[in-house]
Amino acid sequence: MATDQELITLLGSESFLTMRGLSNEVPFFIYPFDPTDALNAEKSLRLVSGHLRQDGIDVVTINLFDLCLELLEERGLLNPVLKAEPRQKTKSKFAAGLQSMLDVETMIAPRIAARSIDHRLVVVHGIGAVFPFIRTHALLEALQIHMPPVPLVLWFPGQYTKNEARGYELKVLNIAASDSYYRAKNIEEMVRAGL
């Protein structure tokens, strides 16, 4: 796991913030961390984003779980969802219901994009709390359409690894189910390469 100082140096660098060297690639980055170290990763996020703000970098952090609660509340669905959850016979049915209420393409991605305007860096976290009803690859694909040209970092509880047969894979919470998404850059690899 990259140190806080390594993250501050990379994320605060002018070449990172101006997306130098990306050509026509999307400015999406994934910072994977071991899910068992989630508390330290959240502390690290607060420290890194606070330090970047002190350095004059306008960074916005967006917690996906909080965003989902906010969207449900706006639509008057939060209390009905909370009441319905204990009565669900299967978790998969409940997750499917949430997925339909919180559409990534039409609700979540546009809201993240709207909150990203006028910022130099966007960090999205809380991904483990919304799994499996929000899938990371679907979110990234939807954000490609909606995001302003600003670097976006996913603070990701799991693995982002290259599989020779299938390309890059996202394994949320290190579980066997994986999503393919090849366009994001791995922050850990960038730190190791000294970028």
Side-chain angles (χ1 to χ4, degrees):
M1 195 159 121
T3 67
D4 293 338
Q5 188 54 55
E6 288 171 328
L7 292 169
I8 290 165
T9 300
L10 175 66
L11 301 180
S13 70
E14 197 60 27
S15 62
F16 183 86
L17 293 169
T18 58
M19 302 167 285
R20 197 171 307 139
L22 281 182
S23 302
N24 290 327
E25 296 176 54
V26 295
F28 292 172
F29 304 87
I30 294 178
Y31 174 62
F33 59 87
D34 188 328
T36 62
D37 206 20
L39 291 176
N40 285 330
E42 285 296 314
K43 285 180 191 173
S44 180
L45 172 59
R46 286 191 299 277
L47 189 142
V48 169
S49 60
H51 195 283
L52 292 172
R53 286 184 189 105
Q54 286 178 347
D55 287 348
I57 298 166
D58 191 4
V59 58
V60 60
T61 58
I62 300 169
N63 184 312
L64 272 181
F65 182 77
D66 291 344
L67 178 61
C68 288
L69 291 178
E70 180 183 310
L71 289 167
L72 289 171
E73 182 71 39
E74 285 175 9
R75 297 176 59 208
L77 296 172
L78 183 57
N79 285 331
V81 164
L82 293 174
K83 288 177 184 172
E85 192 269 337
R87 296 189 305 259
Q88 294 294 314
K89 291 183 179 163
T90 65
K91 295 217 182 277
S92 61
K93 268 186 149 178
F94 183 69
L98 280 175
Q99 202 167 29
S100 68
M101 288 182 243
L102 295 165
D103 184 70
V104 171
E105 180 72 39
T106 61
M107 296 180 73
I108 294 174
R111 185 67 61 98
I112 291 172
R115 290 189 180 171
S116 303
I117 295 170
D118 298 327
H119 295 284
R120 291 198 72 199
L121 176 63
V122 179
V123 180
V124 176
H125 62 112
I127 292 162
V130 297
F131 178 80
F133 65 91
I134 294 178
R135 299 302 293 251
T136 308
H137 74 287
L139 176 63
L140 289 170
E141 287 169 7
L143 285 169
Q144 285 177 198
I145 300 163
H146 296 281
M147 279 297 289
V150 59
L152 177 133
V153 177
L154 288 184
W155 223 252
F156 187 77
Q159 299 172 7
Y160 184 50
T161 56
K162 187 171 185 175
N163 178 308
E164 293 303 322
R166 295 185 295 264
Y168 280 94
E169 292 182 321
L170 295 157
K171 291 185 180 180
V172 178
L173 305 174
N174 292 344
I175 62 173
S178 63
D179 297 325
S180 293
Y181 187 81
Y182 66 94
R183 299 191 75 181
K185 303 261 186 258
N186 188 322
I187 293 285
E188 284 289 338
E189 290 176 4
M190 294 173 74
V191 166
R192 282 194 297 273
L195 300 175

